Amino acid sequence: MNKLAVTLADQHVSLSLKNPVLTASGTFGYGLEFAPYGDLRKLGGLVVKGLSLVPRDGNPMPRIAETPSGLLNSVGLQNCGVEAFLRHKLPLLPSADVPIIANLYGASEEDFASLAGILGAEPAIAALEVNVSCPNVKQGGAAFGQDPFAAAAVTEAVRKNAGDKPVIVKLSPNVSDLAAIARVCEAAGATAISCINSLSAMAVDLAGRKPLLGNVLGGLSGPAVKPVALRCVWQVCRAVSIPVIGVGGISSAEDVLEFILVGATAVQIGTANILRPDSVFRIVQDLPAACEKYGVERWEDLRGKLAVD
Amino acid sequence: MAHPLLSRETVLDLVPFGDSSQAGRYALRLSLPKWEAWSPGQFVMIRPVEPAADVLLPRPFSICLVTRRDLVLFFQVAGRATAGMARLTPGSRVVIWGPLGSPLAVEPHVPTLLLAGGMGIVPFIGYVHQHPTPWELSMEFGHRLPLSCYPFDSVNEKILVDPHLEKTPSHRDAFLAFVDARIGEYAASGLILACGPAPFLRAVQTSALRHRARTQLCLETRMACGVGACLGCVVRAVVPQDPDIARPLRPDYPAPSALHVQTCTCGPSFWADSILF
């Protein structure tokens, strides 16, 4: 029996993962970019780059800036579009051995519904992750995730069209009440919640008196945001009964355990992949030793067991 | 092309170039990674095993030279990460992944003009050492600091290099006018390769397009992952109608549209008429 296995499930659908470590969308390309650095089949799941109905060219350069312990980006969801992904990328991924999770981005509720219909019918896709939280696009994205009614409508539209695929809704920390948004997504049919997406942020060049990013604003990620992510995951776990996937600054097996301690069922590794392309593989490899070190026999021994007076 | 490899390597030595008043340029010699192959124009991503607290991202560096014993990089201190690299000592460990990116074109029996601006000389060291017919090569090298600040001799020992000191804007203008004339000489039947800072490469691109000269530009671009995933180093490239085939074109392709493509995986060398930057 695999003691590292976890299940993402609601009353209707479920997804079994061989371990709780997934990749975070936007930091792992379409997966194949990382094949030289580790065995993709050993991952708990592979969440690919956000897909839109038609290809997107993304934001102008510069798109990245290094900040203290953080990475600021404004890529703007550049992607090859869902059709090209299904035709050229997906067949090359080891979908029989690792769950491939498609991340969806739409500028309207109709876009999300169409994407869910296309991806929901694809046998090699294990689950859908709905991106209602990208801070780097003007239309859609975070706008859906900041409005509870819109978040619910998008979740419902995807749920209706996704067939029997689990639906994960990825939420933004750039809201005043994340728990409330998570609750409406749960009620609208989400199988799981993933949080957090990057934090809306900026950096400036003092000498040049210019923003460091072409888009002015970007999303902050990396170790700098881990405490924010832990707080958000803890709050969301207390608000919903569906599984929560922790995302934000995770760069070691110990970090994984911390997120499970505050209630997460699984985690996603994001910026760490950009800092070193073998990061997610090393974290998976280190997980059994970290569990032993902290006396974790079963995930139930740790999950949500944070002692709060 | 060989698959890239991530490995931990040991610093063999770090040699400063130039005198103390022009400090800040170093040749970094590392233990030899177990690469199957490499090609000049390719690069590596590097980060110290224990990077400084204020440095998060790895940094890209052109491969200077690979010998049977070592991998040589050459860098200039330009910020926090390179300042940290200048403090490496023999025995320090670094994590590197490579070789990455596309190689510079090698056409053995074609007269080839190499155009280097400042630190743009670095990839040409491996290029001239590996080229099967180095007598077909010549180089124009624009530089602001004394030649002792650059690995100039490593090129000059293999091929004839014409250095051009650019101390003033008029020196620079004269150099670019000279480069334009040289590009004209190679336009009919030669190959031109250029590497250097973006303003220099834009001037080369303008001349190359005007003379219709087959020219590759090796870009220096800020990168984050180096493996094509983060889309942080894109350049606008002319691509075929199918947006999934994001590959820069040779001059004989039609030019229907331009898309953002990664410098790290589609480049860093691009044909001059295939990119807008």
Side-chain angles (χ1 to χ4, degrees), chain B residues 197-270:
Chain B
F200 172 67
L201 293 184
R202 285 196 191 97
V204 170
Q205 184 185 37
T206 301
S207 295
L209 295 179
R210 194 160 62 81
H211 291 291
R212 296 174 175 264
R214 284 192 320 123
T215 302
Q216 272 193 342
L217 308 175
C218 186
L219 303 192
E220 292 177 358
T221 306
R222 182 177 294 180
M223 293 179 185
C225 72
V227 302
C230 74
L231 304 175
C233 66
V234 294
V235 61
R236 292 198 79 80
V238 174
V239 294
Q241 287 292 4
D242 183 348
D244 190 53
I245 308 169
R247 197 176 59 214
L249 299 180
R250 294 288 297 255
D252 49 341
Y253 275 66
S257 63
L259 281 180
H260 279 130
V261 301
Q262 300 96 319
T263 302
C264 62
T265 49
C266 299
S269 295
F270 295 94

Side-chain angles (χ1 to χ4, degrees), chain B residues 108 112 127-138 158-160:
Chain B
T112 302
Y127 190 86
V128 302
H129 279 260
Q130 281 216 341
H131 200 280
T133 55
W135 54 87
E136 296 282 9
L137 308 177
S138 69
K158 294 291 285 187
I159 66 165
L160 188 64

Side-chain angles (χ1 to χ4, degrees), chain A residues 29 33-34 36-37 49 55 57 59 61 63-64 66 69-71 75 78 80 84 88-89 223 274-278, chain B residues 4 6 47 55-59 80 95 97 100 222-225 227 229-232 234 236 243-244 259-260:
Chain A
E33 295 88 339
F34 290 81
Y37 305 100
K49 175 82 189 152
D57 204 26
N59 287 335
M61 288 280 279
R63 290 175 166 188
I64 50 171
E66 192 176 35
S69 296
L71 175 66
V75 170
Q78 179 182 336
C80 65
H88 299 304
K89 315 277 189 193
I274 293 170
L275 308 186
R276 259 184 80 152
D278 63 343
Chain B
L6 183 144
R47 54 184 284 135
V55 176
L56 193 66
L57 292 172
R59 295 293 192 272
R80 298 184 306 267
V95 176
W97 51 104
L100 303 166
R222 182 177 294 180
M223 293 179 185
C225 72
V227 302
C230 74
L231 304 175
V234 294
R236 292 198 79 80
D244 190 53
L259 281 180
H260 279 130

